[in-house]
């Protein structure tokens, strides 16, 4: 296929070429893979500034998206690649091939650096979904940091750079520029830009930015960072966000409130308890969705309000395909049971074949878990309606999942995203938290937004 880049795509490619270290915050659907591959082609086969490139990506994106992009575009012909996923034997064989681009899933970064026995002699590293390196305590971060000084060029790609707030940015930029802009140590970064927020004596649970800190952080990273929003550069379809409220019965409410106030509730022949605040939030989320895990992963039903609402939404779609995002395993099991009972065909999107069939409109309902299919998958050909059966606290997974349908290439004029919310439950707090985080992230992206006319 002939590649005719949009102005913003040509700008982003040139930015990568001109900046040995670059953070490219591209909104979902803007084509970050082909933008980066165009730069890689130039560096490897035109200017010869780079010989070996390592692309680190989520598993499905590494296995499916990057190879498909290289094969898709005419101007990338001649760019050789190898995909190092699968068994250890398969990964080693892929890494020993003589090619320009090596693609590996992020879970195997530690193995590559510390266990594979293969020299880490890549002179360019591309991190697709830079936000997956936001934890400085993660093994993948520590392993990559060990070999980072030997890498001449670094590219960090993401659409969600600060999904949980500005604290995320330190590790992401530490891996890119070795601490030049935000400091070499997390303690220095915290002291410079944050102050304690929630605490118990000397124990600090969270931090909040100091007055003016956001602007200072944005200014510190602006020389190597560009950001772009899809709505600014593409004819995006409309997006309607809808809340579908369901109400619990008096008995169901009593069960939920008992867990909330007493941290324990009796269901059937078992007492289910939450030992701490995190466990309580998890239990309340499950109960809001309609069931809860007891001992030995036994599932206890609480209500079917969300299942009824989901069935109504599928009926209202009148045959149009519906993508359903679930969170807990028992959500999947109960949704599947209800759909079977109503003789509604569906598939779980868990492999390349199911994704192909969804995009071919071969079944009316698809079930997706945000954590396994949130990044990089193109699902817009299959439908334009998404239903959140159960919410996630992660802004990154939330936005990425929405962007599977609301993106360039969507044929429908409008994408509809439904949120089934159990009234007066933790659902409302989760949705509110996602909106608050989105404001912080939007501010960051606006602050470093590329000025294509400048």
């Amino acid at each position: 296929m002939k590649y005719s880049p949009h102005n913003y795509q040509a700008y982003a490619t040139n930015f990568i070429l001109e900046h040995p270290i670059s953070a490219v915050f591209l909104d979902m659907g803007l084509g970050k893979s082909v933008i980066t591959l165009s730069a890689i082609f130039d560096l490897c086969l035109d200017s010869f500034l780079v010989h070996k490139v390592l692309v680190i990506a989520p598993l499905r994106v590494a296995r499916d998206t990057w190879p498909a992009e290289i094969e898709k575009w005419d101007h990338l012909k001649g760019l050789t690649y190898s995909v190092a996923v699968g068994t250890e034997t398969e990964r080693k064989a892929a890494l020993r091939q003589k090619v320009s681009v090596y693609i590996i899933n992020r879970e195997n970064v530690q193995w590559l650096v510390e266990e594979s026995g293969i020299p880490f002699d890549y002179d360019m590293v591309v991190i697709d979904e830079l936000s997956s390196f936001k934890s400085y305590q993660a093994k993948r971060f520590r392993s990559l940091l060990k070999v980072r000084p030997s890498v001449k060029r670094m590219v960090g790609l993401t659409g969600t750079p600060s999904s949980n707030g500005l604290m995320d940015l330190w590790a992401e930029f530490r891996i890119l520029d070795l601490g030049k802009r935000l400091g070499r140590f997390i303690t220095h970064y915290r002291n410079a830009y944050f102050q304690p927020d929630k605490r118990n004596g000397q124990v600090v649970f969270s931090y909040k930015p100091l007055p003016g800190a956001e602007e200072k952080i944005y200014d510190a990273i602006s020389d190597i960072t560009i950001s772009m929003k899809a709505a600014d550069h593409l004819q995006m379809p409309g997006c309607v966000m809808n809340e579908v409220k369901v109400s619990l019965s008096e008995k169901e409410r009593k069960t939920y409130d008992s867990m909330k106030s007493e941290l324990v509730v009796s269901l059937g022949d078992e007492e289910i308890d939450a030992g701490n605040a995190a466990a309580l939030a998890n239990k309340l989320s499950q109960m809001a969705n309609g069931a809860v895990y007891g001992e030995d992963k036994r599932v206890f039903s609480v209500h079917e309000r969300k299942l009824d609402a989901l069935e109504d939404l599928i009926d209202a779609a009148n045959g149009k395909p519906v993508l359903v995002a679930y969170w807990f395993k028992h959500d999947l099991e109960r949704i599947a049971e209800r759909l079977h009972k109503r003789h509604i065909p569906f598939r779980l999107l868990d492999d390349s074949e199911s994704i192909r069939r969804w995009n071919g409109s071969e079944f009316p309902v698809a079930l997706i878990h945000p954590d396994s299919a949130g990044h990089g998958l193109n699902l817009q050909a299959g439908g334009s309606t998404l239903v959140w059966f159960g919410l996630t606290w992660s802004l990154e997974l939330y936005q990425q999942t929405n962007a599977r349908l609301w993106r360039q290439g969507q044929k429908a004029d409008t994408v509809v995203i439904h949120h089934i919310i159990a009234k007066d439950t933790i659902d409302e707090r989760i949705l509110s938290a996602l909106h608050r985080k989105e404001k912080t992230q939007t501010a960051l992206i606006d602050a470093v937004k590329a000025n294509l006319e400048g």
Side-chain angles (χ1 to χ4, degrees):
M1 182 182 294
K2 182 176 174 56
Y3 179 55
S4 299
H6 298 283
N7 288 342
Y8 75 85
Q9 290 176 315
Y11 179 93
T13 295
N14 287 331
F15 189 87
I16 294 172
L17 291 172
E18 294 169 4
H19 294 77
I21 299 171
S22 55
V24 183
F25 298 162
L26 294 179
D27 213 349
M28 287 73 81
L30 287 178
K32 62 187 176 189
S33 300
V34 69
I35 285 170
T36 309
L37 285 167
S38 299
I40 290 172
F41 184 94
D42 188 293
L43 292 167
C44 289
L45 301 179
D46 189 3
S47 62
F48 303 108
L49 294 173
V50 168
H51 300 94
K52 289 183 70 175
V53 181
L54 178 68
V55 175
I56 302 168
L59 176 58
R60 296 180 192 276
V61 180
R63 186 189 65 204
D64 301 329
T65 304
W66 281 86
E69 287 291 299
I70 295 174
E71 298 288 346
K72 177 180 179 180
W73 302 107
D74 293 342
H75 74 294
L76 299 178
K77 291 293 185 289
L79 188 64
T80 54
Y81 70 94
S82 180
V83 182
V85 301
T87 66
E88 183 173 15
T89 301
E90 291 169 334
R91 296 197 300 270
K92 284 185 175 180
L95 292 168
R96 288 185 176 124
Q97 292 186 35
K98 298 296 183 182
V99 297
S100 297
V101 181
Y102 299 82
I103 307 166
I104 194 168
N105 56 305
R106 60 196 180 192
E107 292 82 4
N108 281 317
V109 169
Q110 182 193 13
W111 169 84
L112 173 62
V113 174
E114 301 178 10
E115 302 172 25
S116 68
I118 297 173
F120 194 93
D121 54 356
Y122 306 95
D123 41 17
M124 180 174 181
V125 172
V126 176
I127 304 176
D128 188 358
E129 294 312 331
L130 179 63
S131 55
S132 63
F133 282 78
K134 65 190 175 187
S135 172
Y136 61 90
Q137 296 175 319
K139 292 178 180 178
R140 71 179 68 144
F141 172 87
R142 293 177 177 179
S143 297
L144 189 58
L145 192 60
K146 291 178 183 177
V147 293
R148 167 64 186 87
S150 67
V151 181
K152 293 190 299 185
R153 286 182 168 268
M154 291 288 299
V155 180
L157 306 171
T158 187
T160 51
S162 56
S163 58
N164 291 309
L166 295 170
M167 197 66 76
D168 288 351
L169 293 177
W170 179 82
E172 296 172 17
F173 279 83
R174 178 72 170 88
I175 209 76
L176 289 181
D177 70 359
L178 291 173
K180 181 178 178 181
R181 287 160 183 82
L182 298 183
R184 294 182 60 229
F185 303 100
I186 183 65
T187 50
H188 295 173
Y189 178 63
R190 278 201 300 252
N191 292 338
Y193 298 108
F194 298 86
Q195 60 186 356
D197 185 13
K198 297 178 181 178
R199 63 190 304 167
N200 183 3
Q202 297 300 311
V203 180
V204 179
F205 297 112
S206 63
Y207 292 83
K208 61 183 178 181
L210 288 164
E214 288 189 41
E215 292 75 17
K216 291 179 181 178
I217 293 171
Y218 304 153
D219 184 61
I221 64 176
S222 62
D223 63 317
I224 62 167
T225 307
I226 57 170
S227 67
M228 301 176 184
K229 291 182 178 179
D232 293 338
H233 303 289
L234 300 176
Q235 285 297 106
M236 294 285 284
C239 184
V240 175
M241 295 285 188
N242 183 39
E243 292 183 29
V244 179
K245 293 288 185 79
V246 298
S247 298
L248 307 186
S249 69
E250 186 176 341
K251 180 181 178 182
E252 293 158 357
R253 165 64 54 191
K254 186 176 180 181
T255 301
Y256 180 90
D257 288 344
S258 175
M259 174 61 77
K260 182 179 177 181
S261 58
E262 306 294 335
L263 276 66
V264 63
V265 67
S266 295
L267 291 173
D269 58 352
E270 189 169 324
E271 235 181 33
I272 300 170
D273 63 84
N276 53 49
L280 177 62
N282 190 46
K283 295 293 186 187
L284 292 178
S285 290
Q286 293 179 46
M287 295 175 75
N289 289 358
V292 64
Y293 286 119
E295 293 293 327
D296 302 320
K297 290 295 182 179
R298 290 176 63 195
V299 178
F300 293 87
S301 177
V302 178
H303 64 82
E304 294 192 352
R305 307 296 174 179
K306 286 196 175 186
L307 291 171
D308 295 339
L310 175 61
E311 188 177 338
D312 289 343
L313 289 171
I314 293 172
D315 287 343
N318 200 25
K320 290 177 61 179
V322 176
L323 183 64
V324 181
Y326 69 93
W327 190 248
F328 299 104
K329 188 177 179 181
H330 60 58
D331 292 341
L332 171 63
E333 294 167 349
R334 291 183 302 113
I335 293 169
E337 182 182 3
R338 174 64 71 95
L339 296 177
H340 275 306
K341 190 180 294 184
R342 297 293 186 265
H343 305 290
I344 299 172
F346 71 94
R347 279 293 301 270
L348 175 64
L349 297 188
D350 59 351
D351 56 26
S352 300
E353 177 62 14
S354 60
I355 292 168
R356 183 194 65 78
R357 293 187 61 197
W358 160 260
N359 281 326
S361 302
E362 294 186 23
F363 40 85
V365 178
L367 309 180
I368 188 173
H369 192 286
D371 200 27
S372 63
H375 293 96
L377 296 182
N378 297 322
L379 304 178
Q380 71 273 17
S384 59
T385 301
L386 171 64
V387 177
W388 282 92
F389 184 87
L391 290 170
T392 169
W393 288 97
S394 169
L395 176 64
E396 178 181 1
L397 294 181
Y398 174 74
Q399 290 184 328
Q400 291 281 1
T401 303
N402 290 344
R404 296 315 103 215
L405 300 187
W406 190 49
R407 63 190 293 120
Q408 186 180 21
Q410 173 59 253
K411 297 298 189 290
D413 293 332
T414 304
V415 171
V416 180
I417 300 175
H418 298 290
H419 308 78
I420 305 179
I421 304 297
K423 193 176 178 182
D424 298 323
T425 71
I426 198 170
D427 279 352
E428 295 177 337
R429 289 188 58 193
I430 297 174
L431 196 58
S432 176
L434 290 171
H435 290 159
R436 287 197 305 273
K437 291 176 183 177
E438 191 167 30
K439 289 178 182 177
T440 299
Q441 181 156 287
T442 299
L444 167 62
I445 291 174
D446 286 344
V448 295
K449 188 185 296 184
N451 181 359
L452 302 186
E453 299 175 355

